[in-house]
Amino acid sequence: MSIFLTDLNTQEVHKLVASLAEPAYRARQLLAWVYQRLAVSIDEMTDLPQAFRQKLAQQVNLHTLVPIHEARAKDGTVKILFSLKDGKTVETALMKFSSTDGKHRYTVCISTQVGCPIGCPFCATGQQGFERNLTPGEIIDQVLYFARYLQDKTIGREGEGINNIVFMGMGEPLANYDALRQAIEMLNSRDGFGLSARGMTISTAGLIPGIERLGNDKLQVGLAISLHAPDNKQRDKLVPINKKYPLGELIPACREYFARTGRRVSFEYALFNGVNDSIVQAQSLADLIQGMNCHVNLISANRTTNQKMQPSPRNTVLAFQQELKNRGINCTLRLSRGQDIDAGCGQLRSRFLT
Ligand code: SF4
């Protein structure tokens, strides 16, 4: 029984159901049980005939992940460490935001790989090396887990659920393009989870072929670039894939993405003390993206174990932001969340690796 249901796309679910000699509408019922009614077991699917449920149970597993550790921060961020079928682990975070209507909005931060091949020196995942890509089901099940989590009325309130998905957890999403695309299609589909593509954002270190594919596929998801430096010399050190895809090629690829999709690109810029936080660097950043329909998210970085990469002081962060604003760049300051629970990418997993 090695098939996992969430690894299958819609057509494959239909094929599976047909192979069990059931009519097509049973496939739609099955999809609804998994993606909308958020079933955790086949036994729950009581409007499916028992014989069908038995055959299904012999052929498929419902979900791919087992939670093995949970950490809750004071700011409402929850982080789960999941075990995969081969015993490897990934982490996923749920972030809670207040909204003007009194309800909470929830964003889930999804991993797409075990470890990461990019190796950014400030990132705990980058220090763990790359192990393997996640399957579509392993990506999707992170979302479904937290959708169920919010159904618990001691946690989520009536009418609350997942509003946004950001592919910003462990791994480089565009290095696992096919699985990512299948997961996005299922999470977006009305037969699947039904979340608007506009509520999803892919964060990349800057893999230009992946950005081009994404633009051609017109998935309508948001694109965020982990920029972190305004010049190649510094960015080669902070985001090593820059040596392969330097800024002179990356920025035009971002402009092209906007031209093809109409989706504004955002640039993530984590500020590190004395590394990338000077006024001159703010000016270079403004020059780099001048005239582009984009947004800069300045991130007050998480504290890391790398002594050379510590968060910038508050005054430096504010001065950097002001310089960008003075030069007409849209930018917001994002506070890092879950500081008390190792919420930086890969930090929780690091604690559990021996
Ligand atoms: S910051 Fe992102 S791209 Fe860089 S090593 Fe960490 S997970 Fe990989």
Side-chain angles (χ1 to χ4, degrees):
M1 194 171 63
S2 56
I3 301 175
F4 289 86
L5 208 69
T6 46
D7 275 333
L8 305 182
N9 64 27
T10 309
Q11 292 88 332
E12 288 166 339
V13 172
H14 276 267
K15 255 196 216 162
L16 170 76
V17 168
S19 76
L20 298 174
E22 292 288 335
Y25 71 89
R26 293 278 182 228
R28 289 191 292 278
Q29 278 181 297
L30 181 56
L31 286 164
W33 269 110
V34 174
Y35 288 97
Q36 284 146 32
R37 302 170 85 170
L38 303 173
V40 286
S41 77
I42 292 172
D43 288 344
E44 278 175 58
M45 304 177 183
T46 45
D47 57 357
L48 301 182
Q50 201 178 11
F52 176 41
R53 277 187 275 151
Q54 276 170 354
K55 281 188 278 177
L56 262 183
Q58 284 161 6
Q59 300 247 345
V60 296
N61 289 297
L62 215 47
H63 296 298
T64 57
L65 308 176
V66 179
I68 55 172
H69 182 77
E70 174 178 324
R72 289 193 201 194
K74 291 191 197 101
D75 65 13
T77 302
V78 179
K79 200 160 197 182
I80 304 284
L81 188 68
F82 290 109
S83 173
L84 310 174
K85 53 188 175 262
D86 56 4
K88 296 185 186 299
T89 53
V90 288
E91 49 182 58
T92 311
L94 179 76
M95 291 165 290
K96 179 179 176 181
F97 301 92
S98 297
S99 117
T100 44
D101 60 6
K103 283 190 181 159
H104 295 116
R105 296 183 65 76
Y106 288 93
T107 296
V108 61
C109 179
I110 299 295
S111 293
T112 51
Q113 296 181 313
V114 182
C116 181
I118 306 293
C120 304
F122 55 86
C123 168
T125 302
Q127 307 317 302
Q128 293 162 8
F130 172 67
E131 294 183 40
R132 72 166 171 87
N133 283 330
L134 295 190
T135 67
E138 288 166 341
I139 297 172
I140 289 168
D141 279 333
Q142 296 171 64
V143 178
L144 298 184
Y145 178 87
F146 276 112
R148 284 193 294 274
Y149 189 91
L150 291 175
Q151 281 188 327
D152 177 342
K153 289 300 156 236
T154 63
I155 301 169
R157 296 188 202 148
E158 196 62 41
E160 290 182 344
I162 291 174
N163 305 97
N164 294 290
I165 298 172
V166 291
F167 298 95
M168 287 187 186
M170 297 170 61
E172 165 52 59
L174 296 183
N176 186 13
Y177 192 90
D178 292 335
L180 175 73
R181 185 189 159 148
Q182 182 179 322
I184 288 173
E185 285 173 344
M186 208 46 152
L187 291 166
N188 177 230
S189 163
R190 269 200 238 152
D191 289 335
F193 189 63
L195 187 79
S196 159
R198 295 193 161 260
M200 302 186 211
T201 299
I202 294 173
S203 173
T204 175
L207 268 67
I208 293 176
I211 295 171
E212 290 170 348
R213 271 185 87 181
L214 205 56
N216 290 336
D217 287 349
K218 295 196 170 65
L219 291 182
Q220 292 299 319
V221 294
L223 177 66
I225 307 290
S226 301
L227 196 66
H228 307 317
D231 59 85
N232 284 323
K233 193 164 170 238
Q234 186 64 271
R235 194 164 190 269
D236 282 351
K237 292 184 205 148
L238 293 183
V239 188
I241 197 77
N242 191 69
K243 290 179 197 142
K244 189 164 181 191
Y245 303 116
L247 289 169
E249 294 168 29
L250 177 60
I251 299 300
C254 294
R255 290 183 198 274
E256 181 63 22
Y257 184 79
F258 175 73
R260 281 181 178 271
T261 63
R263 297 290 324 261
R264 187 178 69 169
V265 175
S266 54
F267 293 103
E268 308 288 311
Y269 196 107
L271 288 151
F272 295 100
N273 192 16
V275 176
N276 61 353
D277 60 354
S278 72
I279 292 299
V280 172
Q281 283 162 316
Q283 291 163 353
S284 305
L285 174 58
D287 290 344
L288 184 72
I289 58 177
Q290 201 56 251
M292 202 170 162
N293 195 336
C294 66
H295 188 88
V296 175
N297 280 320
L298 293 175
I299 303 154
S300 178
N302 275 299
R303 208 159 272 289
T304 71
T305 49
N306 184 337
Q307 289 311 313
K308 291 185 190 147
M309 308 285 300
Q310 291 307 315
S312 301
R314 180 92 183 143
N315 284 350
T316 309
V317 172
L318 293 176
F320 195 97
Q321 182 184 26
Q322 193 56 51
E323 187 63 30
L324 289 182
K325 282 188 174 166
N326 292 347
R327 287 167 182 263
I329 303 294
N330 279 320
C331 65
T332 40
L333 180 57
R334 235 177 43 204
L335 295 176
S336 60
R337 300 182 60 90
Q339 294 264 14
D340 48 330
I341 57 158
D342 295 327
C345 173
Q347 288 180 342
L348 179 63
R349 182 173 183 255
S350 288
R351 268 209 287 139
F352 282 77
L353 291 175
T354 49

